[in-house]
């Protein structure tokens, strides 16, 4: 289904203003069908672990299906939990993801360079046997940690030094979150898993997805699944409610999680996950693709750059980063989501300039831009109208061509439709999606394919043969 009026007529300036649409930017007739899909639409690896400000797999599909073919390279320089590259790999494209956050890199790598199911299951059995052999020592360690967390030494993540390893201590809030038996198993698994090993990395990523949440499938019920509550809140809450975590078996939980992840076979194509700054992604992407004998230019970019410092990815994931052995504070210090609009736009311009050498002549670049109005209740200066400024101050000066702006909000599109009828209504706020061509031929391709009907069955019938 397509929305007639968006195709038939370009809105007038008055209509665009009434809708909060930028006067200068034309609309593009891409219907936001992704909003109508099931929450878990797409490959079964997508829900490996929640990640703040991620977009749905269906959104990535809407652009991947229209603007790339099997075998093309599809890139996301801010890949987060890997939505774009995973969906691309699952559709026979070469999905390339890059992120500066090591937790995001881990999630992306686990999806586009995943373990096989047999390897994951074999390693799980090996871990279970290792635990059985040494459970009393690890359980005793966990008991000591619960009694005096900040003074009981434990082995480092990935050190494989056994329960006597003494590299660090456990934050109080971590000790509070788990039943002592669960904590013992977690300390063991944490010290065993090596993140530079594909299978271990996959299992570590799967554990981050079940670490905390409000149901029996999670290892701690202290916090919701979406993000870690502030450590101080956790301490106060645990004290106030005399919180005691139910006993959960890490190996059983992980086995069920791996079963859920492999509900579908792994993605049909292997992708690439890179760790680093989006501003200098081009040489790293090119080197990685050449080393794998793949085409070295991207035909499509689908990405949502970090918004105006809305999310602190380290702080909001401190329990997961602890498990992985990452430093949450260091992550937040490195990620440069700018606080203000001007530096943000300069950053985006640098990113778009840096991408140029690895885009094909007819490449399409899709930027999902949040019109951020508030950050936890506080109004952000310069948040609204971000997409318009992104075009004027970042994309246009770097020679990109504008195909149009798509709305990602069904309600807004309905109001838009209504507006053409009765000139009434004011759109709800939406994300704006800038669709750009790397050159004029990219812009033409973007326009020509915008209204193509694409398949929404998952897995798509056309791909079942791939
Ligand atoms: C809005 S999120 C992307 C979410 C992603 N689309 C998904 O579906 O999961 C923005 C990402 O930009 C990353 N980031 C922030 N600064 C960066 C930089 N300078 N270079 C690369 N990535 C960066 C953050 O770690 C975060 O994962």
């Amino acid at each position: 289904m397509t929305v007639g009026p968006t195709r038939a007529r370009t809105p007038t300036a008055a209509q665009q203003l009434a809708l909060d649409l930028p006067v200068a930017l034309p609309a593009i007739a891409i219907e936001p069908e992704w909003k109508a899909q099931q929450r878990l639409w797409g490959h079964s690896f997508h829900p490996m672990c929640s990640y703040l400000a991620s977009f749905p797999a269906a959104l990535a599909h809407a652009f991947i299906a229209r603007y790339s073919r099997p075998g093309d390279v599809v890139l996301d320089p801010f890949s987060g939990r890997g939505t774009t590259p995973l969906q691309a790999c699952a559709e026979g494209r070469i999905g390339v993801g890059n992120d500066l956050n090591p937790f995001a890199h881990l999630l992306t790598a686990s999806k586009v360079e995943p373990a096989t199911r047999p390897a994951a299951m074999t390693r799980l059995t090996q871990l279970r046997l290792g635990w059985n052999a040494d459970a009393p020592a690890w359980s005793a360690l966990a008991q000591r940690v619960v009694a005096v967390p900040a003074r009981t030494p434990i082995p480092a993540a990935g050190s494989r030094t056994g329960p006597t390893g003494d590299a660090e201590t456990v934050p109080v809030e971590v000790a509070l979150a788990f039943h002592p038996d669960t904590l013992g198993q977690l300390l063991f698994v944490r010290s065993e898993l090596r993140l530079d090993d594909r299978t271990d990395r996959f299992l570590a990523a799967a554990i981050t997805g079940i670490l905390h949440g409000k149901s029996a499938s999670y290892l701690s019920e202290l916090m919701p699944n979406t993000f870690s509550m502030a450590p101080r809140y956790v301490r106060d809450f645990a004290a106030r409610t005399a919180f005691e975590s139910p006993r959960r078996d890490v190996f059983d939980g992980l086995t069920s999680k791996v079963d859920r992840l492999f509900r579908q076979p792994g993605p049909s194509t292997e992708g690439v996950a890179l760790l680093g700054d989006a501003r200098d992604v081009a040489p790293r992407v090119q080197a990685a693709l050449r080393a794998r004998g793949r085409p070295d230019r991207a035909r499509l970019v689908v990405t949502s750059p970090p918004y105006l410092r809305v999310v602190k990815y380290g702080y909001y994931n401190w329990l997961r980063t602890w498990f992985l052995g990452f430093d949450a504070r260091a992550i937040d210090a490195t990620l440069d989501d700018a606080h203000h609009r001007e530096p943000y736009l300069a950053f985006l311009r640098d990113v778009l300039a840096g991408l140029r050498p690895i885009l094909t002549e007819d490449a399409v670049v899709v930027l999902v831009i949040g019109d951020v109005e508030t950050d936890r209740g506080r109004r952000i200066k310069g948040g609204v109208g971000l997409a318009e400024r992104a075009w004027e101050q970042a994309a246009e000066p770097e020679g990109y061509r504008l195909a149009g702006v798509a709305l990602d909000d069904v309600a807004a599109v309905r109001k838009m439709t209504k507006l053409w009828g009765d000139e009434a209504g004011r759109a709800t706020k939406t994300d704006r999606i800038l669709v750009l061509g790397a050159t004029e031929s990219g812009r033409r391709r973007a326009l020509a394919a915008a209204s193509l009907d694409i398949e929404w069955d998952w897995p798509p019938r056309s791909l079942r043969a791939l």
Side-chain angles (χ1 to χ4, degrees), residues 51 53-55 76-83 98-101 276-278 304-306 313 335-337 347:
Y51 193 78
S54 54
F55 51 50
D76 185 347
F78 301 102
S79 63
R81 70 170 175 169
T83 313
N98 170 82
D99 204 289
L100 188 54
N101 176 355
D277 197 307
S304 63
Y313 285 97
L335 299 185
D336 44 355
D337 313 38
F347 168 73

Side-chain angles (χ1 to χ4, degrees), residues 34-42 46-47 56-58 81 218 225:
W34 55 88
K35 289 273 170 163
Q37 308 308 316
Q38 302 272 335
R39 196 173 57 85
L40 293 181
W41 188 98
H46 282 297
R81 70 170 175 169
Y218 295 103
N225 179 243

Side-chain angles (χ1 to χ4, degrees), residues 46 49-57 59-60 76-85 98-105 107-108 111 274-281 284 302-307 309 311 313-314 331 334-338 347 351 368:
H46 282 297
C49 180
S50 68
Y51 193 78
L52 292 166
S54 54
F55 51 50
L59 183 150
D76 185 347
F78 301 102
S79 63
R81 70 170 175 169
T83 313
T84 295
N98 170 82
D99 204 289
L100 188 54
N101 176 355
F103 174 47
H105 171 254
L107 295 177
T108 301
K111 294 172 179 181
L274 300 168
L275 175 68
D277 197 307
R279 282 169 288 199
D280 58 27
V281 77
R284 287 180 291 111
V302 182
T303 192
S304 63
Y307 303 139
R309 194 61 174 187
V311 181
Y313 285 97
I331 291 175
T334 331
L335 299 185
D336 44 355
D337 313 38
F347 168 73
V351 173
V368 180

Side-chain angles (χ1 to χ4, degrees), residues 2 17 63 82 114 124 139-140 247 252 272 356 364 384 404 429:
T2 44
L17 278 176
F63 295 98
L124 238 164
S139 298
R247 186 184 176 285
D252 290 350
V272 179
R356 275 222 162 269
V364 174
V384 177
K429 262 187 29 59

